[in-house]
Amino acid sequence: MNDILQAKFMREMCDTAANMYRLGWDERNGGNISVLLDPNEVADCLDTDRVLRRIPMNFHAAPLAGKIFLVTGTGKYFKNVRNDPETNLGIIRVSDDGSTAELLWGYADGGRFTSELPAHLMSHMVRLRIDPEHRIVMHTHPTNTLAMTHIHPLDEKSFTRTLWGTCTECIVVFPDGVGVLPWMVCGTNEIGEATARKMETYRLVIWPQHGIYGVGRSMDEAFGLIETVEKAAELYMKYAAFPVLNRITDAQLDDLAHAFGLTYRTDFLDL
Ligand code: 2HA
Ligand code: ZN
């Protein structure tokens, strides 16, 4: 058996949580990450026949039956993940009927998975239908993105257009734009279902005055999407109060999309 703490997926989770904390996005227990694991990589470092605990999920995730996830723990701080992964993280397998999480490793102090598990697993279900190589769901509280939801209209067209307009790389990184939910109570099946519905067309979903979700095939992809939105929101927060003299026009964004061969939300521009 290999040492699970040295597994690539574990190191990547620890490094990512530490990095996000360092960026100031994950105060206290803010934020959560789930990673769909390769069963062979898990079997290299864990006896997958040994279930430590069975934890009810209070929603059904039957399409994910048998799938194994590395998930941050509820009430746990990103700041502490790297120093104590076995307490702050868990590896769960979705039971055959999709209603229970079978704990294979972690949550060593008797803890359990993030309160946002419904949004994570429902988003995994939707994204796996769209992209069989999908792996990561990431939720965090990036400062400027949250600030922007206080002062900018929340319709997806204008929010995306503003982000695209802040700097040239944005439309290249997220040509599919950003989904925006109305403010909702977090941690519920309802916000999970609403988030997953947005994930049918977006890889980024904003929860106003709360945070953001990003998804991807890799940690770098999910993180890179969120990082780019946060950079755009930071720029916006720096210039929003000033008279704007120069901006990227809709025609220029369209030129950029053509130059990069992008399929993008043309309905978010007025061409
Ligand atoms: O896990 O971020 O949305 C703490 C949160 C809840
Ligand atoms: Zn949150």
Side-chain angles (χ1 to χ4, degrees):
M1 282 279 171
N2 295 333
D3 179 1
I4 194 166
L5 297 177
Q6 300 307 322
K8 184 167 174 283
F9 60 77
M10 189 66 70
R11 298 181 65 131
E12 208 169 37
M13 178 69 120
C14 290
D15 290 347
T16 303
N19 188 35
M20 291 166 78
Y21 176 70
R22 183 187 58 82
L23 290 165
W25 299 355
D26 296 281
E27 73 292 339
R28 202 173 180 275
N29 61 321
N32 27 78
I33 305 174
S34 60
V35 181
L36 175 59
L37 298 177
D38 175 341
N40 296 319
E41 284 180 33
V42 179
D44 281 345
C45 43
L46 213 57
D47 174 3
T48 53
D49 290 332
R50 196 162 152 258
V51 176
L52 305 177
R53 276 190 279 144
R54 290 173 207 277
I55 313 174
M57 299 199 295
N58 297 323
F59 63 96
H60 280 270
L64 299 176
K67 295 213 183 300
I68 302 176
F69 296 89
L70 176 62
V71 187
T72 52
T74 185
K76 298 296 189 269
Y77 293 21
F78 272 26
K79 156 176 105 56
N80 299 335
V81 168
R82 183 139 68 183
N83 283 340
D84 189 359
E86 196 164 0
T87 302
N88 294 290
L89 305 174
I91 294 180
I92 58 170
R93 180 172 54 211
V94 178
S95 63
D96 285 345
D97 68 353
S99 71
T100 305
E102 300 170 345
L103 181 65
L104 302 180
W105 177 89
Y107 306 142
D109 62 352
R112 51 190 279 147
F113 43 74
T114 169
S115 59
E116 303 295 0
L117 195 71
H120 280 252
L121 292 193
M122 291 176 196
S123 295
H124 280 293
M125 285 188 239
V126 168
R127 294 308 306 183
L128 282 168
R129 281 207 305 270
I130 295 164
D131 177 10
E133 292 187 50
H134 158 84
R135 293 290 174 270
I136 310 287
V137 174
M138 183 180 284
H139 166 66
T140 179
H141 303 165
T143 312
N144 293 285
T145 306
L146 266 64
M148 186 170 162
T149 67
H150 290 258
I151 64 169
H152 195 283
L154 294 176
D155 69 285
E156 289 163 344
K157 175 177 174 174
S158 78
F159 206 92
T160 298
R161 174 64 183 86
T162 297
L163 292 173
W164 282 351
T166 60
C167 59
T168 301
E169 73 166 352
C170 283
I171 195 171
V172 180
V173 175
F174 52 92
D176 37 355
V178 294
V180 185
L181 288 184
W183 186 92
M184 294 175 75
V185 174
C186 55
T188 61
N189 289 351
E190 288 70 29
I191 202 169
E193 285 156 11
T195 304
R197 269 198 300 279
K198 292 289 182 196
M199 290 292 181
E200 287 168 11
T201 44
Y202 297 104
R203 291 171 301 154
L204 287 156
V205 178
I206 290 178
W207 290 3
Q209 296 90 48
H210 180 141
I212 188 167
Y213 272 77
V215 298
R217 293 178 172 189
S218 66
M219 211 64 119
D220 273 355
E221 185 186 353
F223 177 82
L225 283 168
I226 295 174
E227 182 181 38
T228 307
V229 168
E230 173 62 2
K231 174 63 175 276
E234 182 176 0
L235 285 163
Y236 177 75
M237 294 308 295
K238 283 188 195 294
Y239 67 66
F242 295 105
V244 171
L245 301 182
N246 311 295
R247 74 194 290 263
I248 309 174
T249 66
D250 285 17
Q252 287 169 332
L253 287 171
D254 188 56
D255 287 347
L256 197 57
H258 281 103
F260 281 80
L262 304 174
T263 305
Y264 77 103
R265 287 291 299 250
T266 46
D267 57 323
F268 284 179
L269 297 181
D270 295 312
L271 294 165

